[in-house]
Amino acid sequence: MSSHIPLPKEKHHKSKLYVTRSSLSSPKAEHIKAIETHPLNYRLSIIVPSSVKAVQQTLARYIGPYYHVSLKLSDLIDPGFIANYVRRNALIALSRNRFIDADDVFAIDGRGTLVLSVCKDTYETLGLAGSQAQFPLRRGSRFIIKIDLLAEFMDPMKKYYQRVRSRFDAVFAEPVEFLMGYYDAQSGAPITLDLPGASAVDPQLTHSLSKGVSGPSVEHLLDGQTDTWNEQAQAAFEWVGLAVSGSPVVGSSWSPSSACAYQPPVSSPPTDFSIFTVTGMLCAKAISSIVKEVLESSSNIYVCVWGFEDAPISWKLYEHNYYTSGENMYAQLYAPNKNSCLTFQACGAWDAFS
């Protein structure tokens, strides 16, 4: 059962929060789809009441270097590049130091799709078919071009490929700085990217321990919708965000006051939580592998993932843009004893997924 109901176009001026309940044993695995269809991520936090060593070992298997790479856009469609990296495993890329509401932005989604979000002048000069962006600052001022790098028409002998190559060479003559990661397509484990000039960057890992903390009762939320269900769900979502940011309001000694009236959600019994946060370019498949392994040895766990604010896409290749915050994140609350997961997807006002 999902509350993900698209809003009319005229309602898109507000940020949205969608909540989906899914079964951990269902073949549909909606909770895993929510992870694996959100390709451009820069931070993962996981809250676990389990062995620190076991989680550290899991993270070590799936978290590895990403890279700073300088390439021309035409390099991304070179037959050798496609054969050796895009087709063979999962390559993820996002242009660096470019803003989605002001610059030309480029990305590869890990499944072979190259996405260009470009301004009107670039689009008209480029001369390749695309679609008008749904959420520009001014209608008709931004366009989206999506190219399936694995499609037959990207054969170098095909006219379409030759057209794309010639336009890329003409319009994007200067190298572009990219964040780039290379991963096993099945597990998401990192693979060394042996591109000339690629500079490896290690993700940052932090760990903290919170003692005697009462996390949100996922079981309470799963027992059925009450008159206060929406408020309790919102409070649970807020709790996860506050916990991973180190806010004192989720501590065992916190109580509402005149200075801060925060009310915690209906809670589980107090326990000690370990909070792990990884920051860098993160593979969606690796995140799902981490979650699956941690669930094997843990009770309730809480997961929070942030997407890049200036990514041109969010879920399922839907257009993402920047309005006031570039919000592009999700949280998941897992209750293995209920065989269930609650997924909260937070979409900014200008996100076509909504």
Side-chain angles (χ1 to χ4, degrees), residues 262-288:
Y262 170 75
Q263 293 284 351
V266 174
S267 302
S268 301
T271 189
D272 296 345
F273 284 107
S274 286
I275 304 175
F276 296 87
T277 296
V278 184
T279 305
M281 174 163 268
L282 305 175
C283 175
K285 193 72 176 183
I287 294 173
S288 70

Side-chain angles (χ1 to χ4, degrees), residues 58-65 67 89-92 181-193 281-290 293:
T58 298
L59 290 174
R61 278 192 290 275
Y62 296 108
I63 301 299
Y67 299 84
N89 283 291
L91 184 127
I92 299 171
Y182 192 43
Y183 309 94
D184 181 83
Q186 299 304 313
S187 69
I191 299 174
T192 300
L193 184 67
M281 174 163 268
L282 305 175
C283 175
K285 193 72 176 183
I287 294 173
S288 70
S289 293
I290 291 168
E293 286 198 13

